Amino acid sequence: MFSVEVLCAGSNADLLIKQALEFLPNAVVIADESKYQQVQDALCSSDIKVFAGEKSMVDLMTMDSIDMVLASIVGFAGLRPTLRAIECGKPIALANKETMVVAGAIVTDTAIRNHVPILPVDSEHSAIFQSLIGEVSPIDKILLTASGGPFRGMNLKQLATVTLEQALMHPNWNMGRKVTIDSASLMNKGLEVIEAKWLFGVEANDIEVVVHPQSVVHSMVQFRDGSIKAQLGVPTMETPIQFAFSFPERIESYLPRLDFSNYSTLTFEKPDRTTFRCLDLAYYAIARGGNMPCVMNAANEVAVQRFIDGKIGFLEIADYVERAMQTALFIPNPTLDDLFETDKIIRCK
């Protein structure tokens, strides 16, 4: 039913080559231009066209043979190709939350002008989307679930000495390094709050984060009459990806089914916003508006990389982001160029 037309990667040439040989796309793009020859040599015996660099990634979004774009590039780097795809009228299956965090107003306005649907792929936003299908009345609030990450229940003294290896040991999800560390700091949930605001047209104060360690209830919506609708399932990204691709239909899958006998208890609790300060930084960023979410996102990407490189401790991620937000030039109504400049300045500090 589905075929891959183009595959894009940042710097993971080995995985790009493996997937290209498996799915045989028309073209591949490796953003890291230093890896171009490696990919070209590996695929030279095939008919797959090989390109490199961010510009190629953006340019290929114009291909007439592309029917839908799965936007899953991690971080700010996903913004430009996603916008280009929207401008070309391509429906977006959105897994890159930073695109909406940094430029939610611009992205949604562009999608409306081009009559392009943005279908959420994050499990939480897919759950909200599924809970809203068929509803016409205003909602009371969104209940955005969070696993709590590997450090749920720890205090500041314990977090002061955690290692990268511990931060990457997520109890439920198998994700990339950046997303996994964001989950450990609760920044990932802060980013998802901002994304939900733009995807569903609600205010951030109408989005409540609920820690649900089992990751079975992917998110919920509460309506004005007090009723709550939720979407449940095993913790896998394959289901929301398939739903975005097949919407409005549900096609059969052979993924594992949720067996309630394996879950004697489903628990819910409030997040520890004092210990995990990144969540409140995200709420502040969206309340301030302008380029502040862009500042926060850029600073977080830098801080997470420094933590990965062993240059700062885990708790210093929030400190770094907060300092950047306090000292950055605030732009109330940024243009797209302003956002790219803001991102560049924060990364150079």
Side-chain angles (χ1 to χ4, degrees), residues 105-181:
I106 294 173
V107 172
T108 52
D109 287 348
T110 305
I112 291 170
R113 286 199 315 271
N114 290 277
H115 308 287
V116 170
I118 299 178
L119 301 168
V121 166
D122 271 345
S123 62
E124 296 86 351
H125 300 88
S126 178
I128 296 163
F129 177 56
Q130 294 181 57
S131 298
L132 289 171
I133 293 173
E135 297 289 344
V136 295
S137 301
I139 69 170
D140 189 27
K141 64 179 175 180
I142 287 171
L143 298 163
L144 189 69
T145 57
S147 69
F151 301 145
R152 182 176 67 90
M154 286 191 178
N155 57 38
L156 290 172
K157 183 178 180 180
Q158 292 170 313
L159 290 175
T161 57
V162 296
T163 65
L164 173 62
E165 289 70 24
Q166 290 173 308
L168 293 174
M169 293 176 63
H170 196 284
N172 301 331
W173 297 93
N174 181 18
M175 306 176 290
R177 284 188 163 197
K178 195 267 183 184
V179 179
T180 304
I181 293 168

Side-chain angles (χ1 to χ4, degrees), residues 130-348:
Q130 294 181 57
S131 298
L132 289 171
I133 293 173
E135 297 289 344
V136 295
S137 301
I139 69 170
D140 189 27
K141 64 179 175 180
I142 287 171
L143 298 163
L144 189 69
T145 57
S147 69
F151 301 145
R152 182 176 67 90
M154 286 191 178
N155 57 38
L156 290 172
K157 183 178 180 180
Q158 292 170 313
L159 290 175
T161 57
V162 296
T163 65
L164 173 62
E165 289 70 24
Q166 290 173 308
L168 293 174
M169 293 176 63
H170 196 284
N172 301 331
W173 297 93
N174 181 18
M175 306 176 290
R177 284 188 163 197
K178 195 267 183 184
V179 179
T180 304
I181 293 168
D182 280 348
S183 178
S185 70
L186 287 193
M187 177 58 86
N188 189 55
K189 207 51 51 178
L191 298 176
E192 289 178 1
V193 168
I194 301 174
E195 181 184 6
K197 167 189 163 54
W198 294 111
L199 284 175
F200 305 112
V202 299
E203 295 303 317
N205 289 336
D206 295 325
I207 304 170
E208 179 183 343
V209 173
V210 179
V211 174
H212 169 52
Q214 295 79 24
S215 296
V216 169
V217 178
H218 295 301
S219 275
M220 301 168 276
V221 177
Q222 180 173 297
F223 296 91
R224 295 290 175 87
D225 63 355
S227 299
I228 295 176
K229 289 174 68 175
Q231 186 265 330
L232 286 70
V234 295
T236 173
M237 286 302 302
E238 292 169 285
T239 301
I241 292 172
Q242 177 176 296
F243 184 72
F245 281 177
S246 65
F247 179 79
E249 299 180 41
R250 290 185 184 271
I251 59 177
E252 185 176 3
S253 81
Y254 299 97
L255 296 170
R257 270 37 177 180
L258 179 63
D259 183 350
F260 280 98
S261 66
N262 292 329
Y263 297 90
S264 59
T265 304
L266 297 179
T267 60
F268 304 89
E269 60 195 58
K270 292 183 178 295
D272 181 354
R273 295 167 72 150
T274 301
T275 303
F276 299 92
R277 296 190 299 114
C278 286
L279 182 56
D280 277 352
L281 291 176
Y283 272 100
Y284 171 79
I286 196 59
R288 188 81 190 278
N291 69 331
M292 192 54 63
C294 181
V295 171
M296 180 199 73
N297 180 75
N300 180 65
E301 289 191 24
V302 172
V304 168
Q305 189 58 53
R306 291 187 176 185
F307 174 64
I308 291 172
D309 294 340
K311 296 179 180 178
I312 63 173
F314 179 77
L315 289 177
E316 292 177 274
I317 294 174
D319 295 336
Y320 186 92
V321 174
E322 185 174 37
R323 284 195 301 270
M325 294 172 69
Q326 289 173 342
T327 58
L329 174 66
F330 177 65
I331 305 174
N333 299 294
T335 64
L336 189 60
D337 287 341
D338 290 332
L339 295 175
F340 278 102
E341 184 64 19
T342 296
D343 180 80
K344 179 181 177 180
I345 290 171
I346 296 300
R347 291 175 190 275
C348 290

